[in-house]
Amino acid sequence: DSYYMLMNGAQTPVYIISDELAREMDVSIYDMFVLPELSLPTEDQLTSVNISGAADVTLTAIRGEAGADGKAPVTWRSGGANVTDDEQVRGILDQILSLELDGCVDYRPSDGAASLCGFDEPDAVVAVRYTSGGTVETLTLTVGARLLDGDGRYVRVNDDETIYRMGADRLDAVMRAAANGLNGDAPAAGSA
């Protein structure tokens, strides 16, 4: 349960320390990686969500006049249709508003590693436009292939080349829309 330790390259004295430090250090470098916090908007800040994959889905927020509480009612539209109360749209918005990275896969990936993770032809690209402090911001999530264990996806954020992983449950509604459009509609001709 103990280790011998020398300090600063000196040969003496020899210390005996607990194995706690060794246990704490027995993790991969990627498990020590401090994940970036995604600058997620609130629903009041969202202006549009575009999901591109085999199918393309664009959700646009149309805001009405602000009420006494200062909040403007929001109507979500897709292709001109009001989809505000659509269960799939609510699922997509809920996932967008709670995106979180689960871990780092490769900090400085080679082109070959990026290709193996599916970034040559990503399964989905999600562009979230929102207002923050009076300026329009965009958060882009590029979704690559499934993780080798099948329980998640390789993802990239904005222009960052780092490859992260994200649980499948955090992306299932988004990925269904990227594959089939809203409500399982088939992809438009030529979009596959």
Side-chain angles (χ1 to χ4, degrees):
D1 294 339
S2 302
Y3 286 86
Y4 294 106
M5 182 183 81
L6 298 172
M7 288 183 58
N8 300 325
Q11 296 300 313
T12 60
V14 176
Y15 298 93
I16 298 175
I17 63 168
S18 161
D19 68 344
E20 185 177 344
L21 178 61
R23 283 185 282 129
E24 291 291 324
M25 296 294 292
D26 191 24
V27 295
S28 79
I29 192 166
Y30 291 115
D31 290 333
M32 292 185 236
F33 191 85
V34 177
L35 297 173
E37 288 186 33
L38 302 178
S39 56
L40 297 176
T42 63
E43 188 167 354
D44 292 339
Q45 295 172 304
L46 284 176
T47 58
S48 68
V49 175
N50 182 276
I51 302 169
S52 299
D56 290 333
V57 173
T58 299
L59 303 172
T60 305
I62 308 297
R63 293 190 170 27
E65 293 293 321
D69 62 358
K71 291 187 176 185
V74 177
T75 302
W76 285 97
R77 298 218 172 255
S78 178
N82 183 343
V83 293
T84 305
D85 296 325
D86 184 282
E87 187 176 317
Q88 186 180 11
V89 170
R90 291 302 333 150
I92 292 168
L93 295 175
D94 288 346
Q95 285 187 339
I96 295 295
L97 296 171
S98 62
L99 288 174
E100 187 176 335
L101 300 171
D102 292 335
C104 178
V105 175
D106 198 339
Y107 179 67
R108 289 192 179 139
S110 66
D111 290 341
S115 180
L116 285 173
C117 292
F119 292 107
D120 288 346
E121 294 181 31
D123 288 342
V125 176
V126 182
V128 179
R129 292 179 56 93
Y130 61 98
T131 57
S132 177
T135 61
V136 176
E137 304 282 340
T138 302
L139 170 67
T140 303
L141 186 72
T142 304
V143 183
R146 292 184 186 277
L147 294 173
L148 294 177
D149 66 8
D151 191 32
R153 293 281 187 158
Y154 297 107
V155 297
R156 284 184 161 165
V157 179
N158 295 328
D159 294 328
D160 185 358
E161 293 295 312
T162 304
I163 299 172
Y164 300 100
R165 68 178 182 270
M166 188 176 285
D169 60 332
R170 297 182 194 271
L171 292 168
D172 57 352
V174 170
M175 295 310 296
R176 275 194 303 275
N180 302 313
L182 289 182
N183 299 314
D185 296 339
S191 65

